[in-house]
Amino acid sequence: MSLFAALLLSAALFPRTAKAEIQGPVCRGTLLQLNVRESGESRTDRFRFNLRLEAEASTTSGALEQLSGRQARLREVLEPLVDGRLVIPAPNTYAMDGSQPSSGYRAATTITGTVGRSNYNTLIQRAGRLPGVRLQGMTSLPSAEAQDRLQDQLLEKALQRGQREAERTAAALGLRRVALLRIDQRSHATVRPAPMAVGAVSRFRPEEAPLPKASLSLALDYCLN
């Protein structure tokens, strides 16, 4: 076989512009479109905390120096309690009471991290006793396994609910067959921040914190016959 003939045969067997089109099922009855939403809660596995750290002085350098000392002390308190690393962005400095330098300067930053259930109360109490520290919130977080399990449960409930609504609509129209044509799934996991202030409460219990919440939305197409 000549080289030219071989090239022609190759082009015939493997065309360059081959197109593959995938078409969904066609409804030859009544098309019903539903939007179904389910939500639920899962057990808290750990917490993400958000602290604000501030310092004040007559000069910006003084405020930064005081903030650095407080940050070192806070880091020393937190590191034995947290899971993973602390996140501490560069501080901001600004004049107190607007643009009046005579009022002094304030330096501030935030510190975030994750703490387990067993250290929940300890972190709140110890951080709240330090000068310049304000606890802005503790956010409940689920474990990966609990989140996946909740999503599976929500998906099953949403599909069952969609099937019931489709069957009810079909019955109202005098139809008997219900076929699911399309599923468009959108999941959303939310975590609930709980603003807190350390005051007269002697103990903060992790089981009393708001639970993590997740939601799932399905766009469902049914064919009714």
Side-chain angles (χ1 to χ4, degrees):
M1 180 183 296
S2 67
L3 177 60
F4 179 75
L7 290 175
L8 288 178
L9 178 59
S10 175
L13 292 177
F14 304 102
R16 294 182 180 179
T17 59
K19 295 183 179 180
E21 296 184 359
I22 301 176
Q23 295 182 350
V26 177
C27 179
R28 303 191 183 282
T30 299
L31 178 64
L32 174 66
Q33 295 181 321
L34 295 177
N35 290 304
V36 181
R37 180 182 176 88
E38 294 288 343
S39 61
E41 297 174 331
S42 60
R43 182 180 184 274
T44 302
D45 178 67
R46 61 200 187 285
F47 298 87
R48 182 170 62 243
F49 59 86
N50 187 347
L51 305 174
R52 181 173 175 83
L53 181 63
E54 297 181 345
E56 298 174 4
S58 58
T59 63
T60 56
S61 59
L64 287 172
E65 183 177 357
Q66 185 184 73
L67 183 73
S68 178
R70 290 181 174 182
Q71 180 176 298
R73 174 57 181 153
L74 181 58
R75 185 186 289 110
E76 180 182 343
V77 169
L78 295 180
E79 285 182 342
L81 304 175
V82 301
D83 298 334
R85 69 184 186 93
L86 296 171
V87 178
I88 309 176
N92 294 319
T93 59
Y94 48 92
M96 299 170 60
D97 296 330
S99 58
Q100 301 178 14
S102 60
S103 300
Y105 293 86
R106 176 176 293 150
T109 188
T110 58
I111 298 179
T112 59
T114 305
V115 64
R117 292 173 60 91
S118 60
N119 288 322
Y120 175 82
N121 177 68
T122 304
L123 183 139
I124 295 174
Q125 297 286 1
R126 292 183 183 179
R129 296 189 183 109
L130 296 177
V133 178
R134 186 167 75 250
L135 180 60
Q136 295 186 306
M138 298 284 280
T139 302
S140 303
L141 301 173
S143 66
E145 295 79 7
Q147 188 170 2
D148 290 343
R149 186 162 54 250
L150 178 58
Q151 288 294 326
D152 291 342
Q153 294 171 353
L154 296 179
L155 177 59
E156 183 178 355
K157 289 174 62 177
L159 289 173
Q160 291 175 351
R161 181 179 165 191
Q163 184 70 20
R164 288 195 303 269
E165 293 187 16
E167 291 174 352
R168 189 160 48 244
T169 303
L173 296 174
L175 304 174
R176 295 184 178 181
R177 294 183 66 251
V178 174
L180 179 60
L181 301 180
R182 184 183 68 93
I183 301 175
D184 183 4
Q185 176 179 335
R186 296 182 181 180
S187 302
H188 182 61
T190 59
V191 289
R192 299 179 179 180
M196 308 175 71
V198 179
V201 180
S202 60
R203 181 173 178 80
F204 296 89
R205 298 179 174 86
E207 61 271 14
E208 295 176 348
L211 295 173
K213 186 175 182 180
S215 63
L216 181 143
S217 299
L218 294 182
L220 305 172
D221 288 357
Y222 291 91
C223 187
L224 312 180
N225 290 285

